[in-house]
Amino acid sequence: MGFEYDVFVRVCLVEMYVKVELVDYALQLFDESPERNKVESVLLWNVVINGCCKIGRVSKALALFEEMPERNVGSWNSLISGLLRNGEVDKGMEIFDGMMTDEKNVGLDLFFKMVDEGVKPNGLTVVSALSACAKTGALEAGRKIHDSITNSGLHLNAAVGNALLDMYAKCGYIESASLVFNGLKEKDIRTWSIMIWGWAIHGHVDKALRCFVQMRSTGIKPDGVSVLAVLTGCSHAGRVDQGLQIFDGMRREWSIEPTMKHYAAVVDLLGRAGRFDGALKFIENMPLEPDYVIWGALFSACRAHKNMEMAKVASEKLLQLEPKHAGGHVFLSNVYAGAGRWDDVERVRSSMKNKNVEKDPGWSSMEVNGQLHTFVAGDSAHTRKQEIYSKLEEIIMGAKQLG
């Protein structure tokens, strides 16, 4: 009947395979498509590119993108969102820059292609890019996107505004986040929660509490996320009574059922204040079975206060729950090290070795001149490793000289 040559039918079949993540079948169907289908339908290309990104086959998605005879805004958005989802932030940002650049900013490889096609990013792409900046701490890239939003006249709806707010808060620029927040005409529960979190994690507990009160005064009912943000702020600031009052109000005032995260926040609240008996009693009376996070919160507080006896209790619980998890062993080893009990440190490390428990290497990232650099403990693959280790040795020597 000729249906196999109908472009609409072919797009639907390819999309069906993509949705169930049978991308090899989608690619096979795409490859077998008549050339006229490929020329006529940009959507056919977009669907298969999206499928490759969905399962992490980024190089294949990029290759298909380069082969496209014609592109539309959906083509760019599918690729960029996919790159950012798969952690290809630098490549995603390169393409994003090209979409947002005018003729004065030469040097971006993809600029001329996109200018010719008149492509501008949509809100979804902007949100994806800002979210990637927030996760990696790429402040300069985030600022560039913010400038581009302003210059392009893109509508600052709740989704874009929330992503922008979240980026500034997570990159450490809470005052910039506050300016964005105050300028937003559309504020939903997520907007308020991000701002409360921002104030809380940066140590401005009074501003976090005021923001919480202001949110309620606008008629927006708190949810579990906003309450957790306030509890976190109270914990960091030692506001035990206020934190407990807010926790008690979850069911009574706002009909919110506390989750394990809320219980962990209260344990952290009590533990940071040194109220270990209260924290242990709270855990014992929980309606939920305490998990690794609950005992981990208590253990961290014990380490900070050097409470060895309670640390042992928490450590035993951690090891019972996840004997192969390195965290419990490392926590206990650190407590013993802090107390100068080196024999016990060696005993814990020997236990880890005997049980084949391995600690994942630590890692960090930082942005320099708009480029993100990631470092792993013991890394020897970085192109500037000699300079890095030389500078690290210089810092260590300086710290030792200062005592």
Side-chain angles (χ1 to χ4, degrees):
M1 296 177 68
F3 284 130
E4 68 271 21
Y5 297 109
D6 184 273
V7 68
F8 175 76
V9 172
R10 195 159 287 265
V11 169
C12 289
L13 286 170
V14 170
E15 187 173 28
M16 175 194 71
Y17 284 128
V18 165
K19 283 182 177 178
V20 295
E21 298 189 6
L22 294 174
V23 177
D24 285 333
Y25 288 104
L27 285 167
Q28 182 181 339
L29 196 58
F30 174 82
D31 290 338
E32 294 170 355
S33 298
E35 281 304 312
R36 63 182 178 83
N37 284 170
K38 293 180 180 179
V39 172
E40 290 173 5
S41 179
V42 177
L43 182 59
L44 181 63
W45 291 84
N46 292 352
V47 170
V48 78
I49 287 170
N50 181 57
C52 290
C53 289
K54 191 175 180 182
I55 63 166
R57 292 175 65 174
V58 174
S59 57
K60 180 63 177 177
L62 284 165
L64 286 166
F65 184 79
E66 291 298 329
E67 291 174 20
M68 290 183 75
E70 182 186 349
R71 303 185 188 105
N72 61 17
V73 67
S75 312
W76 296 103
N77 290 330
S78 293
L79 183 63
I80 294 166
S81 297
L83 288 168
L84 296 174
R85 276 200 311 272
N86 286 282
E88 300 282 347
V89 178
D90 291 341
K91 190 68 179 176
M93 286 307 302
E94 179 185 355
I95 296 172
F96 186 86
D97 282 343
M99 292 175 72
M100 300 299 286
T101 310
D102 62 20
E103 289 178 317
K104 295 177 182 177
N105 295 326
V106 295
L108 295 171
D109 294 340
L110 297 170
F111 165 69
F112 294 107
K113 295 179 185 177
M114 289 185 264
V115 168
D116 289 342
E117 297 172 34
V119 178
K120 293 276 185 182
N122 62 16
L124 177 62
T125 307
V126 172
V127 169
S128 297
L130 286 170
S131 297
C133 293
K135 288 176 184 176
T136 57
L139 176 64
E140 290 308 312
R143 280 176 162 169
K144 187 183 293 185
I145 295 169
H146 189 181
D147 290 341
S148 300
I149 292 170
T150 304
N151 295 335
S152 67
L154 183 71
H155 175 54
L156 204 63
N157 59 22
V160 175
N162 290 348
L164 194 57
L165 180 61
D166 189 51
M167 183 276 296
Y168 278 123
K170 287 181 178 173
C171 288
Y173 275 65
I174 190 61
E175 295 300 336
S176 295
S178 180
L179 288 172
V180 171
F181 176 81
N182 292 332
L184 288 176
K185 294 179 180 178
E186 301 176 36
K187 293 186 180 77
D188 56 18
I189 180 64
R190 177 162 164 70
T191 314
W192 288 95
S193 296
I194 294 169
M195 196 67 244
I196 294 166
W197 266 113
W199 288 127
I201 63 176
H202 287 89
H204 301 282
V205 67
D206 288 324
K207 290 182 178 180
L209 289 166
R210 276 201 299 272
C211 198
F212 186 67
V213 172
Q214 287 170 1
M215 178 188 73
R216 290 158 57 195
S217 71
T218 65
I220 294 179
K221 181 184 173 184
D223 65 358
V225 176
S226 56
V227 172
L228 185 60
V230 177
L231 286 174
T232 301
C234 289
S235 179
H236 288 186
R239 305 282 186 86
V240 179
D241 293 335
Q242 278 181 293
L244 293 174
Q245 186 178 3
I246 288 166
F247 179 80
D248 290 340
M250 288 184 69
R251 287 196 187 95
R252 188 180 64 250
E253 294 183 44
W254 309 307
S255 302
I256 302 171
E257 189 63 31
T259 66
M260 196 67 80
K261 289 182 179 180
H262 296 101
Y263 286 107
V266 174
V267 172
D268 185 61
L269 176 75
L270 294 167
R272 282 175 183 261
R275 292 165 61 167
F276 294 107
D277 291 337
L280 189 58
K281 186 176 180 181
F282 179 82
I283 293 172
E284 291 170 348
N285 292 330
M286 281 174 53
L288 304 176
E289 188 67 28
D291 67 357
Y292 198 87
V293 176
I294 297 290
W295 292 110
L298 181 62
F299 193 99
S300 296
C302 293
R303 187 175 71 172
H305 288 272
K306 293 184 170 58
N307 187 322
M308 300 296 296
E309 294 308 311
M310 191 68 77
K312 283 184 182 178
V313 173
S315 175
E316 287 171 3
K317 294 291 185 181
L318 288 169
L319 295 176
Q320 285 173 17
L321 287 167
E322 295 189 39
K324 288 289 186 180
H325 195 291
H329 297 83
V330 173
F331 280 164
L332 190 57
S333 174
N334 289 342
V335 169
Y336 285 140
R341 293 170 55 171
W342 303 110
D343 290 341
D344 289 321
V345 170
E346 186 57 36
R347 178 175 56 79
V348 173
R349 289 179 178 172
S350 296
S351 175
M352 289 179 68
K353 187 175 181 180
N354 293 335
K355 295 177 182 177
N356 293 320
V357 177
E358 294 185 359
K359 179 181 178 294
D360 292 332
W363 67 276
S364 62
S365 63
M366 65 183 295
E367 187 184 33
V368 180
N369 296 327
Q371 184 176 1
L372 196 68
H373 297 264
T374 301
F375 307 93
V376 180
D379 184 17
S380 60
H382 198 283
T383 54
R384 300 178 66 181
K385 64 180 181 180
Q386 296 294 340
E387 295 173 73
I388 292 168
Y389 282 113
S390 176
K391 175 57 73 173
L392 181 61
E393 185 65 28
E394 181 185 326
I395 293 170
I396 292 171
M397 290 299 294
K400 286 181 178 178
Q401 289 173 5
L402 294 171

